[in-house]
Amino acid sequence: MWDGGVDDGDADIDWAAVEVEAAGGVFAAGFDDDDDGATGEAAPVVETRQTGARRAPQGGPERQLKERQPGERAAARKPVGGKSIAAPGQKARIRAETSEALATGVQTLIVEPDEADMRLDRFLTARFPQLAFTHIQRIVRKGELRVDGGRVKPNDRLKAGQSVRIPPLKLTEARPTGRTPRQDEDDAAYLRSLVLYEDKDLMVLNKPMGLAVQGGSGTHRHVDGMLEALRDRDGQKPRLVHRLDKDTAGCLVIAKTRLAAATLGKSFRSRVTRKVYWALVAGVPRVKQGRISTYIAKEEDPDGESRMGVAQHGDDGASHAVTYYALVENSAQKVSWVSLKPVTGRTHQLRVHTAHMGHPIVGDPKYFNVENWELPGGIQKKLHLLARRIVIPHPRDGRPIDVTAPLPPHMAQTWNLLGFDASRYDPIVESPEE
């Protein structure tokens, strides 16, 4: 086994600092969630403050009295505490009013109970989908936005009842959609073709290799952008719960409601979610089943490119990372099929850990570090890493949702070439949960 006192970073391999336990495999995981969702429940009414005044309700007492006649559904109701809660039919109007308020001055938003534990930047994105995410990040970073009067960070999580002060904004800052009905139809149809599991709260997609989960420099087509095409009638967009690397294929969980996003996010952070990955690695691990425990941190390589690597405990930005692995089968002592179960969810964790173990993933352009190694004939030079299986409690009743993704085309070709049977028993199932 290996022992771990190694942190993030791109440090050289320190075998003495890494502990790999020759245990009986493993099965438990938990990626840091990066998104919070929006619920299909009634949307909150925004309390606005402009020049110290509060807007009066539209319509006189007679109209308000009429709206609350017995047998009729009230347009809004006032619970104890005086906060207004919008009825479902008001969501579109509230969103329009919020957009208008953005152009006129400062406003204060009250965090609703179903928005508790959301990241601040995701909270703002949910409330103001017409604003560019980069602009939201900028006003938070500059301190123009305050929570309960204090400065905050974009990734700080909110509590129910907190006041979020929004500075005056201009509608010219709105995010240009540039989308057409045809594009929405195409994106919606494409995402539907990827669905492995779906209900009213969540769906699990079979993300193909090469498709980015989120946008970035030079990345225009990604899952998060295509989810715009799946907005519901109230304008709520499905939200990412976790991420996969662009070249990693397999199970990707999407929350369709705010309740689901918050609950699923907690499942990932608390490591209740279990995940299994399959990979093709160079060589054959000497210990067939084990535990890799290190610290991982971001660093720059000699070419100035950012990457993750093994580091020491206490290093700047270092985070503890734990992965269980099990050897399933090998081919001529040249390559091996390994099953991996990440307990933590650090960036590039599996790619860093396999490389650190001396058996990097075949086709990995960042972390493949075996000198004078030739790719076996017939195998494509693509990342051979699949998010094979995910087991996550349902956000409403806690029942386990167990989803398995098929091998992507390039890995299926490799498995056929090497004679690997994808239906073979996976020993990682026997591994510990944490």
Side-chain angles (χ1 to χ4, degrees), residues 19-30:
E19 173 185 355
V20 177
E21 298 182 357
V26 45
F27 196 107

Side-chain angles (χ1 to χ4, degrees), residues 167-277:
L169 300 172
K170 297 179 181 180
L171 289 179
T172 52
E173 297 287 354
R175 180 195 317 155
T177 61
R179 299 183 64 85
T180 64
R182 177 58 183 273
Q183 183 180 0
D184 283 343
E185 291 177 6
D186 291 346
D187 285 351
Y190 179 69
L191 291 176
R192 293 295 181 196
S193 73
L194 303 179
V195 171
L196 295 171
Y197 171 86
E198 182 175 14
D199 60 31
K200 66 179 182 180
D201 293 297
L202 66 103
M203 58 183 171
V204 181
L205 302 181
N206 180 24
K207 189 193 82 67
M209 176 197 167
L211 177 62
V213 171
Q214 292 178 297
S217 178
T219 301
H220 303 292
R221 187 171 185 264
H222 48 86
V223 175
D224 192 39
M226 288 190 285
L227 288 174
E228 293 283 350
L230 298 183
R231 286 187 181 272
D232 62 22
R233 66 182 63 184
D234 296 313
Q236 297 294 345
K237 169 189 169 184
R239 286 171 170 77
L240 300 169
V241 176
H242 65 128
R243 294 167 293 175
L244 294 177
D245 294 342
K246 179 179 179 180
D247 289 333
T248 301
C251 297
L252 179 68
V253 180
I254 306 293
K256 297 170 65 177
T257 66
R258 181 177 295 155
L259 169 66
T263 306
L264 294 172
K266 290 177 182 177
S267 296
F268 277 85
R269 292 194 300 277
S270 63
R271 302 177 186 175
V272 174
T273 301
R274 295 179 293 165
K275 284 176 281 188
V276 170
Y277 286 72

